[in-house]
Amino acid sequence: MRRVGLLFIGAWCAVLLPAAPASAAPAPSPSVGTAGVAGTAGVTGTAAPAGQQVCVINDSRLVELSGLVALPTGGYVVENDSNDQASAMRVFYLDSACKVVRTVGYPPGNPARDPEDLAVASDGTVWVADIGDNFTNAPADRRDTIALWKVPTGGGTPVIYRLSYPDGPHDAEALLFGAGDVPLIVTKDPGGTATIYQPTGPLQPNTRQGVPLRSVGTWKPKATGTPNFLGAVGQILVTGAAQSPDRKRFALRTYSDAYEWDAPGGDIVKALKGTPRITPLPGEAQGEAIAYSPDGASFLTCSDQTGASRLLRYRPTAAIIHAPTATTAQKSDTRSWYRKLTLPQLIDLVAGVGVLGLVLVVIGLIAIRRSRKERRREAVAARDKPVVIDPAVPEPVAPGNTPAGPPAANHGGNAVVGVPEPAPRTGGGAGYGGGGTYTKQPGRGGGSIYGGGNYGGGT
């Protein structure tokens, strides 16, 4: 997944996540590994050990690596999830020193869109999970189908098998194989709850519509506090998957941690309901790939980034110290939720509040502009509206004016101020006509100000 999409997810989720510490269950307790304490930073106060560097992937063609498998004969297979040139989207075979020994391209004119993971079936065949679909993509760019590519063991062009979700597009970055090599796709949900999908029927090569998928379960990562480049958000996004060579264990990873379960019968969905062993993967640049070593004793990881990427080794956690009960947790730590926030969580909280405030300011400015435009429009309409005078409606009488009869058309006794009418008339208008105090000429009348009173018909 491109970093710009992740930053958008981080800003969006930060608005929703800060409230979690107040209501969420207690954070997972530290896990004890075979090499000693592999505690989670922020939970025990003990920094998790960093991964041991195996080799450095430093080839200009190998950027944004999102999938990884270790070959039983030695060496590794990786794939890049995006590139500006479609022809550069390939599967790369590396030797034990992380040097490229050969590459596999997709069919001409039909490249992979967003491959995000690699998985190995029980027969040793490598599959590419072309299942990425960033939720920040424009609606027109969201996918109608996703795809799995089968990479021929002896070489050749990968074969595509299309699939379709029953409930619209999803972003996903993890692929596992259940019993009978049924593929399981685990989504990368920004809300923190991943959904597991499997095909409703056998895979079909080179179809256009795709075999329908169905949901078979969900799983939610924990807020571990392990440091990563996305902070609290990175702890809840599923970015990769792996299965041990003997198929008895499997793992899902986030940007911060690896979760491992036992599934000796291959029932992965059932195993996900159990308690996982958590191995912190602290400080990886943008950790998305995970695999088991050929002997199954280690996790191997690499990052989705430009430039050189380190291939790292971790010792999986071997046992779990169960989390304390709610009562014990309350007795041991009665601090307010905001006092328990780690530094990355505080940064996320501030960022979330800032994003929310910016959104509210923009909405307010838009509303003010619309209100001002509406007022201007109403003012212009009122100004341009023609004035209609109804002769049947008398004009108001000015103070001190005593009307002597029915009003004239406009201003009572005199149609124009100071100009005698051609014929006598009775009555007067409000301000300019009407009988006044000093009326001298019957029939002319005068207003109290300008009519016949002082300055009108009288002298």
Side-chain angles (χ1 to χ4, degrees):
M1 170 179 279
R2 291 186 181 276
R3 187 173 292 260
V4 64
L6 285 171
L7 293 178
F8 186 91
I9 291 175
W12 185 82
C13 291
V15 178
L16 304 177
L17 289 178
S23 58
S29 58
S31 301
V32 179
T34 55
V37 175
T40 302
V43 176
T44 66
T46 302
Q52 177 186 3
Q53 179 172 303
V54 177
C55 55
V56 177
I57 303 172
N58 190 14
D59 189 301
S60 60
R61 296 170 293 176
L62 277 67
V63 295
E64 300 191 32
L65 303 178
S66 186
L68 170 69
V69 297
L71 298 174
T73 56
Y76 314 97
V77 184
V78 295
E79 52 81 18
N80 52 343
D81 66 0
S82 58
N83 198 292
D84 294 334
Q85 296 181 351
S87 61
M89 302 280 286
R90 304 181 73 83
V91 179
F92 301 89
Y93 286 76
L94 314 178
D95 62 17
S96 58
C98 291
K99 303 299 181 182
V100 177
V101 293
R102 70 184 179 97
T103 68
V104 175
Y106 299 96
N110 186 30
R113 291 186 58 177
D114 191 359
E116 292 286 357
D117 201 11
L118 292 174
V120 180
S122 58
D123 63 357
T125 303
V126 175
W127 289 74
V128 178
D130 186 0
I131 55 179
D133 190 9
N134 297 345
F135 90 102
T136 55
N137 289 344
D141 296 330
R142 299 304 300 268
R143 305 177 64 163
D144 295 326
T145 61
I146 57 175
L148 302 180
W149 296 84
K150 183 178 181 180
V151 182
T153 303
T157 304
V159 179
I160 189 171
Y161 296 79
R162 290 187 173 87
L163 303 162
S164 62
Y165 289 109
D167 51 355
H170 292 277
D171 187 21
E173 298 191 5
L175 172 66
L176 295 165
F177 283 104
D181 276 342
V182 175
L184 298 172
I185 295 167
V186 186
T187 66
K188 181 182 184 179
D189 194 296
T193 299
T195 303
I196 298 93
Y197 290 90
Q198 74 175 34
T200 56
L203 298 181
Q204 302 293 330
N206 301 311
T207 59
R208 301 303 301 176
Q209 299 299 323
V211 176
L213 295 165
R214 65 184 179 94
S215 172
V216 293
T218 60
W219 177 68
K220 186 173 184 177
K222 298 180 181 295
T224 61
T226 303
N228 66 95
F229 86 109
L230 276 183
V233 176
Q235 299 165 25
I236 64 170
L237 300 175
V238 178
T239 64
Q243 289 176 272
S244 63
D246 61 6
R247 323 297 289 179
K248 294 182 179 180
R249 291 172 292 145
F250 70 95
L252 293 173
R253 72 159 298 167
T254 64
Y255 285 112
S256 59
D257 304 273
Y259 296 76
E260 186 183 40
W261 293 263
D262 294 326
D267 194 339
I268 290 175
V269 176
K270 181 179 179 181
L272 285 171
K273 299 177 182 178
T275 302
R277 299 177 290 274
I278 304 175
T279 301
L281 310 173
E284 294 192 0
Q286 186 174 327
E288 296 193 2
I290 187 169
Y292 280 91
S293 59
D295 60 4
S298 303
F299 289 137
L300 301 171
T301 70
C302 62
S303 292
D304 182 334
Q305 64 187 88
T306 57
S309 176
R310 298 191 302 158
L311 196 152
L312 301 175
R313 183 191 304 274
Y314 297 86
R315 297 191 67 181
T317 293
I320 298 174
I321 298 178
H322 292 286
T325 63
T327 302
T328 304
Q330 291 173 359
K331 288 181 179 180
S332 61
D333 192 350
T334 58
R335 296 176 299 164
S336 301
W337 67 268
Y338 55 85
R339 293 182 179 273
K340 301 175 186 178
L341 295 176
T342 63
L343 179 58
Q345 291 172 330
L346 288 172
I347 294 174
D348 292 336
L349 176 60
V350 173
V353 172
V355 171
L356 180 60
L358 178 60
V359 170
L360 293 176
V361 168
V362 171
I363 292 174
L365 291 175
I366 293 174
I368 291 172
R369 289 192 61 185
R370 289 182 177 177
S371 177
R372 288 178 176 176
K373 287 183 178 180
E374 182 65 20
R375 289 199 299 270
R376 286 196 296 267
R377 188 188 65 79
E378 292 176 353
V380 171
R383 182 193 65 191
D384 295 340
K385 183 178 181 181
V387 178
V388 179
I389 300 175
D390 189 352
V393 179
E395 294 195 15
V397 180
N401 186 25
T402 303
N410 291 321
H411 302 291
N414 292 330
V416 181
V417 178
V419 178
E421 287 191 318
R425 79 165 52 177
T426 303
Y432 301 96
T437 305
Y438 303 102
T439 301
K440 296 293 186 69
Q441 193 170 8
R444 289 294 180 91
S448 61
I449 300 174
Y450 298 104
N454 294 326
Y455 302 103
T459 57

